[in-house]
Amino acid sequence: MDSEFVKRHGNTHYANIHYGYYVLVVCFFYLLFLGILRTILKPKAAGFNSSKRSRLAQRLYLVNPVVHLPIILVAVFLPFYRHYSISEHATVYIKRLGRLSYVLLPLNLLLNLRPNWLLRNNYAYTDLIPLHKWLSRCIVIISVAHGVLFLTRWAMGGSEFLKKKMANPYNLVGILLFIPLISMILFSIAPMRRFSYNAFYVIHNLAAILFVFVVAFHARPSVTIPYLLINIAILLWQGFAKFYYAKRIDVLSKNIDYQNTNLVNVQLPRVALPDQFEPACHIRISPYSRLHPLYWLYPSHPFTVASLPSDAVVDLIISESYHPKSFKFELGTPYSVINNFGPGVPRACLEQSKRVAIVCGGSGISFGLPLYRYFKEIHPVEYIQFIWLVRDAYQLKILDKLDTIGSLDGSNDCHAFITRSADDSTPNQEIAHDVEFELESMTQDIVDENGALVNERDGLPTSKFKFASINLGRRIDWATDLSQFVEPALVDNTWLLTCGPSALIENGRQYAADNNINFASEIYAL
């Protein structure tokens, strides 16, 4: 029998200590790399271009896992195999996999901070979610591989040896950890996640917490210092922020017209947000109080704030799902507002812009409207265009519900596009937030002498808000409808901001790249 099966500790017992420190240093420098990345790459890199160099810059800027995950994995695996022969010291490398999965955990937890206090100057927390998802999957795969390889190696020593090893409490807890980790893999698959996002979220959080503490007990040599302490510190901060910054509020009003549109206006009291906040910032809302267990187990719901700090109330414009299990605001029910989070728009845009075009679809108006008002009222720019694409005319009426827009006049620079398409009658409802952008047939409408849209059937104005133009039955033609937007001498201070489903985002990204202008976006998808 191999001597490694007999000895509890051999001369390789501490062989992975220095490798763990190396991985921790790699994680530190990767966070530093993220911090300086967006000072090197300008927001123009968020555009799309066919050249390899531009595509690489785009993926680096957007923290695309296709590029960033290999950077991390190549760096940590580069010295993975060295010094010890894999044929003679296979357990060294199996243990190394286990330590690697745990040492990567602090980086993954930091990527998921909301708000991310390490990177908040350059990143919205939503920018880092895709990388967090894929790094989580890698950590789980590496840890499961670690366990499977050990079980296989023990089985090679005979059934009695396998039973003896599995009876060891340190090994047993590691084997039992397979259950939540495999469950997390299964529920992270898109169909399962969409079937019950609450179940996925609960399993994800419980598996993460179990991984932090069970592996700390399971691992030999110990991973308590510094890895467990770092992980506990991050978890404590997340818990503190979710508790301390939360506010309990009631809904002031909810304006709905379910007969014609699923767009809903919800008004919250002004105290829901601090005195100052950035335009198009996010809030997360939970129906549970901070002392309720489900406040910590179930996911909160993200919304974009359609108001500015000077407003008397906080407006939300929501595409409310018809699904009976979906989250809906109810009058008379208290909610917890969990902090506020920066928008998907860099500070350079808010501070240095001179020419701005905002294109949004459906409930993306909640992103576009506060930015439109900001660049008209607070930080006036020399050129502003606001384009809103909606499914039908009734969605325009949501603007009439907003006390916060006051006497805002869009007659010079605000354009509505009411879209329709005969071959889009059965839309793909993969994501609930994309429903508002379906292209459906509609009745013909006209514009009255005051610029308000009127329905021919009942004569009721669809919106009292004054638009510069209302375009019926067509989508935006980027080159034509933004023909006056780009000035070659000012491209460094020219920004295209988009919000909506992925197709709209990618079309905007292409237009920005073609015209060498800055680009920022927010996708309304889960």
Side-chain angles (χ1 to χ4, degrees):
M1 186 180 294
D2 194 320
S3 60
E4 288 188 64
F5 288 139
V6 178
K7 294 182 179 179
R8 175 176 173 83
H9 300 315
N11 59 0
T12 62
H13 182 65
Y14 297 100
N16 292 315
I17 296 293
H18 289 94
Y19 177 73
Y21 293 147
Y22 166 79
V23 174
L24 189 64
V25 171
V26 167
C27 294
F28 170 79
F29 277 103
Y30 176 74
L31 288 172
L32 190 62
F33 167 72
L34 282 180
I36 64 176
L37 183 62
R38 289 195 173 181
T39 62
I40 297 173
L41 294 176
K42 302 304 179 185
K44 291 179 184 180
F48 175 85
N49 198 292
S50 59
S51 72
K52 291 183 179 180
R53 182 176 179 181
S54 296
R55 290 291 294 274
L56 177 61
Q58 177 209 37
R59 289 172 174 174
L60 283 170
Y61 182 87
L62 297 176
V63 200
N64 190 317
V66 172
V67 172
H68 280 260
L69 194 59
I71 290 175
I72 298 170
L73 295 181
V74 167
V76 299
F77 276 109
L78 196 61
F80 184 85
Y81 179 73
R82 64 190 299 267
H83 188 65
Y84 296 98
S85 167
I86 195 168
S87 60
E88 297 178 5
H89 301 284
T91 55
V92 170
Y93 296 102
I94 299 176
K95 288 182 179 180
R96 187 163 292 185
L97 285 173
R99 185 161 291 257
L100 171 61
S101 66
Y102 196 78
V103 179
L104 285 174
L105 194 58
L107 172 62
N108 204 35
L109 292 174
L110 287 171
L111 291 175
N112 197 42
L113 281 179
R114 301 174 180 179
N116 195 307
W117 41 270
L118 285 177
L119 302 168
R120 65 179 303 168
N121 289 336
N122 295 315
Y123 296 87
Y125 78 92
T126 51
D127 293 337
L128 304 172
I129 290 177
L131 180 60
H132 163 73
K133 289 179 180 178
W134 282 100
L135 185 57
S136 296
R137 290 165 181 161
C138 285
I139 290 172
V140 171
I141 290 171
I142 292 170
S143 62
V144 169
H146 157 81
V148 169
L149 288 172
F150 256 124
L151 286 173
T152 303
R153 188 159 179 82
W154 294 339
M156 292 169 58
S159 60
E160 292 300 320
F161 186 76
L162 175 63
K163 290 178 182 179
K164 179 181 177 181
K165 284 293 186 180
M166 292 181 65
N168 185 313
Y170 294 101
N171 297 334
L172 180 61
V173 294
I175 296 168
L176 293 177
L177 191 59
F178 271 27
I179 298 172
L181 292 181
I182 298 297
S183 299
M184 185 168 69
I185 292 175
L186 293 176
F187 274 85
S188 67
I189 299 171
M192 293 293 292
R193 193 172 66 244
R194 286 194 294 269
F195 175 74
S196 179
Y197 186 75
N198 282 348
F200 159 74
Y201 191 85
V202 170
I203 291 172
H204 171 275
N205 281 352
L206 291 178
I209 292 172
L210 286 172
F211 192 84
V212 169
F213 293 100
V214 170
V215 173
F217 175 79
H218 161 77
R220 291 155 293 162
S222 173
V223 292
T224 300
I225 300 174
Y227 315 112
L228 175 62
L229 297 181
I230 294 174
N231 291 333
I232 290 175
I234 298 170
L235 292 175
L236 286 175
W237 170 256
Q238 288 179 320
F240 170 79
K242 192 171 181 178
F243 184 89
Y244 181 79
Y245 293 107
K247 297 179 181 179
R248 199 69 171 158
I249 54 94
D250 293 307
V251 175
L252 297 179
S253 66
K254 181 179 180 181
N255 300 303
I256 60 175
D257 181 12
Y258 286 127
Q259 182 178 354
N260 299 303
T261 177
N262 63 338
L263 284 190
V264 173
N265 166 233
V266 174
Q267 289 190 340
L268 307 178
R270 181 61 184 82
V271 294
L273 286 171
D275 293 340
Q276 296 298 322
F277 56 88
E278 294 179 299
C281 72
H282 307 145
I283 56 174
R284 300 189 69 92
I285 292 180
S286 171
Y288 306 103
S289 71
R290 289 175 289 184
L291 300 180
H292 197 293
L294 293 183
Y295 176 80
W296 302 94
L297 289 177
Y298 275 14
S300 55
H301 304 273
F303 300 97
T304 303
V305 175
S307 303
L308 292 179
S310 57
D311 296 333
V313 297
V314 174
D315 273 307
L316 307 178
I317 301 175
I318 303 164
S319 175
E320 197 164 71
S321 172
Y322 299 117
H323 195 283
K325 292 185 178 181
S326 65
F327 174 80
K328 295 181 178 65
F329 284 99
E330 301 291 345
L331 293 175
T333 301
Y335 295 90
S336 296
V337 176
I338 306 171
N339 216 331
N340 71 96
F341 310 91
V345 178
R347 289 187 178 180
C349 172
L350 300 176
E351 297 171 356
Q352 302 170 16
S353 296
K354 294 183 179 179
R355 300 178 70 83
V356 178
I358 304 167
V359 181
C360 56
S363 61
I365 184 73
S366 59
F367 170 89
L369 183 61
L371 290 168
Y372 174 62
R373 292 178 58 204
Y374 174 83
F375 288 117
K376 285 179 72 75
E377 301 170 4
I378 299 175
H379 179 76
V381 291
E382 64 180 55
Y383 178 97
I384 179 72
Q385 284 293 319
F386 181 41
I387 294 175
W388 185 23
L389 294 87
V390 296
R391 182 181 62 195
D392 58 53
Y394 283 101
Q395 291 188 310
L396 301 180
K397 196 174 182 180
I398 197 71
L399 294 177
D400 297 342
K401 308 294 184 180
L402 305 179
D403 297 332
T404 55
I405 64 173
S407 58
L408 185 66
D409 184 2
S411 58
N412 292 322
D413 42 38
C414 190
H415 307 269
F417 286 75
I418 304 170
T419 59
R420 64 173 177 172
S421 175
D423 52 358
D424 283 336
S425 57
T426 308
N428 178 7
Q429 295 190 14
E430 178 182 354
I431 297 169
H433 291 293
D434 284 348
V435 174
E436 81 272 1
F437 201 67
E438 300 167 11
L439 301 179
E440 296 181 352
S441 60
M442 64 171 197
T443 57
Q444 289 295 318
D445 298 279
I446 61 173
V447 180
D448 68 12
E449 65 275 11
N450 296 317
L453 194 66
V454 178
N455 185 283
E456 287 184 329
R457 293 177 302 171
D458 50 26
L460 295 176
T462 303
S463 176
K464 298 175 183 178
F465 184 79
K466 292 183 179 180
F467 290 91
S469 70
I470 295 177
N471 304 271
L472 302 177
R474 76 177 183 91
R475 308 186 188 200
I476 178 178
D477 183 316
W478 295 84
T480 301
D481 296 312
L482 293 177
S483 59
Q484 305 299 315
F485 174 40
V486 179
E487 287 287 344
L490 295 173
V491 290
D492 289 340
N493 301 105
T494 300
W495 285 81
L496 173 63
L497 310 177
T498 64
C499 180
S502 57
L504 178 66
I505 302 298
E506 293 309 309
N507 289 337
R509 195 186 307 280
Q510 181 68 64
Y511 176 85
D514 292 342
N515 290 275
N516 196 34
I517 60 175
N518 299 300
F519 179 78
S521 65
E522 192 166 281
I523 186 168
Y524 273 11
L526 183 62

